[in-house]
Amino acid sequence: MIKNWVTGACGFMGNHLVNYLINKGENVLATTFRPTTDITTLNKEAIVKECDIRDKEKVFKIIKEFKPDKIYHLAAQSFPTVSWKDPWYTLETNVLGSTNIFEAVKENKLDCKILNACTSAEYGFVTEDEVPVKENHELKPLHPYGVSKLAQEALAYQYFKNFGVKIISLRIFNTTGPMKSADVCSDFTKRLVEIEKGINKKKILRVGDLTRKRAITDVRDEIEGFYLALKKAVPGEVYNISGNKVYAMSEIVEKLRKLVKFDFEIWQDPELLRPNDEPVIYGDSTKFKKATGWEQKIPLEKTLEDMLNYWRKVLWNKTG
């Protein structure tokens, strides 16, 4: 038997989670498909296998062979922009793939807990007077990714209510940190390191709408929340997990200005403006904190500093 199965182990959060669990002395089955992080950064003690969760037979085989005590189900097509281009892959992965896992646990009568990674995108457009948004807020996702995660969450509840499968759903809000790609903190830190290394000769930071506001959580705090969820949260329940403080994008730029050793100008790139982007994303984590004792510990300044150092290492390896 294996104690922990992490699906999506070479995604951003999955990679951090595998190493966190191994460092706690636990054994881990790490499955991956189309990795978005470097597989060589996974702790060597993890059992690493390829698994496309859309493959029902492969999922059933893994459940039967390894009989995990805990499943951290992070595998997903998680980019909203990709979900517009390929809604079929998004729905197949997030809805049918999750069904394969839930069904395999049910059919094998496995007594395990499942962390079901969902998203704040299920809420859709939320106005500033509605934040921090609570779990009972109306759910109106605005893209196929959000719809797929809402369906995944509904399936989790159905499998809990009808078959007793112990699934806990977390609606995850903005999370960043080293190895993250394609979010504002990752883009800003990477562009600044490119300036620092002379890859970008002009000391100009391309930005989008700096008035947008986000509550941001460091991935290392987030995965501790995942761990606590499977220890203390109540199966069948849904919880928000969000940062405690809201930052305007302009505030993030100014924090980065203090962390780099050069001055730079700002240029608002029209291609980075998203007219339907939410003005603010911020969740109320009170329910989750009461259930688990989780607290956000890592300040944004530390997160940004570590992300700068991550990109310095990555870009140094690429350019010398």
Side-chain angles (χ1 to χ4, degrees):
M1 288 179 62
I2 197 84
K3 188 163 187 179
N4 304 279
W5 177 19
V6 178
T7 73
C10 280
F12 164 58
M13 289 187 285
N15 194 311
H16 281 277
L17 177 60
V18 168
N19 294 333
Y20 174 87
L21 292 170
I22 294 287
N23 288 337
K24 278 192 165 292
E26 302 202 13
N27 61 8
V28 178
L29 169 66
T31 59
T32 181
F33 180 73
R34 297 185 181 178
T36 57
T37 63
D38 184 356
I39 194 169
T40 64
T41 60
L42 290 177
N43 191 298
K44 304 303 181 188
E45 294 182 25
I47 301 169
V48 181
K49 290 185 175 290
E50 183 176 83
C51 178
D52 179 353
I53 60 168
R54 297 174 300 169
D55 185 337
K56 178 184 174 183
E57 290 184 4
K58 188 68 174 286
V59 170
F60 271 65
K61 182 179 178 181
I62 284 175
I63 288 289
K64 191 172 183 178
E65 179 181 356
F66 291 98
K67 298 180 176 62
D69 289 333
K70 298 176 182 178
I71 300 173
Y72 294 88
H73 177 34
L74 308 184
Q77 192 306 97
S78 59
F79 295 100
T81 51
V82 174
S83 77
W84 281 118
K85 295 175 183 176
D86 195 348
W88 301 275
Y89 175 58
T90 301
L91 291 165
E92 286 171 0
T93 302
N94 300 352
V95 181
L96 297 181
S98 298
T99 302
N100 287 338
I101 292 171
F102 303 158
E103 189 69 17
V105 169
K106 183 198 82 172
E107 288 298 305
N108 284 276
K109 298 180 173 56
L110 197 64
D111 184 22
C112 72
K113 287 186 177 180
I114 304 173
L115 179 111
N116 187 40
C118 297
T119 175
S120 62
E122 293 173 49
Y123 292 111
F125 193 89
V126 177
T127 60
E128 291 200 50
D129 63 328
E130 294 176 308
V131 299
V133 63
K134 298 180 183 294
E135 287 87 353
N136 60 1
H137 191 278
E138 187 176 23
L139 302 173
K140 284 189 172 182
L142 293 171
H143 39 64
Y145 167 64
V147 170
S148 73
K149 283 294 183 176
L150 180 54
Q152 179 178 328
E153 185 182 296
L155 279 166
Y157 179 74
Q158 180 253 301
Y159 273 89
F160 165 76
K161 199 69 176 176
N162 293 320
F163 308 114
V165 181
K166 298 173 184 176
I167 309 173
I168 296 155
S169 295
L170 294 188
R171 292 179 188 153
I172 300 168
F173 285 69
N174 293 73
T175 305
T176 198
M179 292 195 286
K180 179 70 173 181
S181 61
D183 80 344
V184 67
C185 292
S186 175
D187 290 345
F188 284 175
T189 52
K190 183 180 181 181
R191 289 169 193 155
L192 287 172
V193 172
E194 287 173 341
I195 293 171
E196 183 179 84
K197 290 183 63 63
I199 298 170
N200 180 355
K201 302 298 182 183
K202 296 180 181 180
K203 293 186 176 182
I204 298 174
L205 178 65
R206 293 168 55 242
V207 301
D209 186 347
L210 294 182
T211 68
R212 302 299 187 189
K213 298 176 182 178
R214 302 289 184 263
I216 298 172
T217 307
D218 189 291
V219 64
R220 293 160 291 192
D221 281 336
E222 193 84 36
I223 61 171
E224 185 175 22
F226 295 171
Y227 181 76
L228 289 171
L230 289 194
K231 286 186 73 175
K232 299 182 177 181
V234 179
E237 291 293 321
V238 176
Y239 301 87
N240 287 337
I241 181 165
S242 170
N244 298 326
K245 184 177 178 181
V246 175
Y247 296 92
M249 299 301 101
S250 58
E251 291 180 80
I252 295 174
V253 170
E254 293 312 306
K255 287 182 183 295
L256 285 167
R257 197 182 292 279
K258 294 176 182 177
L259 290 171
V260 297
K261 297 179 179 179
F262 57 88
D263 197 14
F264 56 87
E265 297 179 21
I266 294 170
W267 172 54
Q268 189 176 71
D269 185 344
E271 291 187 3
L272 298 179
L273 297 176
R274 300 170 184 166
N276 293 323
D277 207 6
E278 299 95 323
V280 60
I281 300 177
Y282 174 29
D284 185 332
S285 304
T286 302
K287 179 181 176 182
F288 186 63
K289 290 177 179 180
K290 286 182 177 178
T292 65
W294 177 77
E295 289 291 342
Q296 189 178 14
K297 299 172 184 175
I298 301 172
L300 181 58
E301 291 81 359
K302 172 64 174 169
T303 303
L304 295 173
E305 182 179 24
D306 289 350
M307 293 177 79
L308 286 167
N309 288 332
Y310 167 75
W311 285 118
R312 286 171 181 138
K313 182 179 179 181
V314 169
L315 294 174
W316 175 260
N317 289 340
K318 286 184 178 179
T319 62

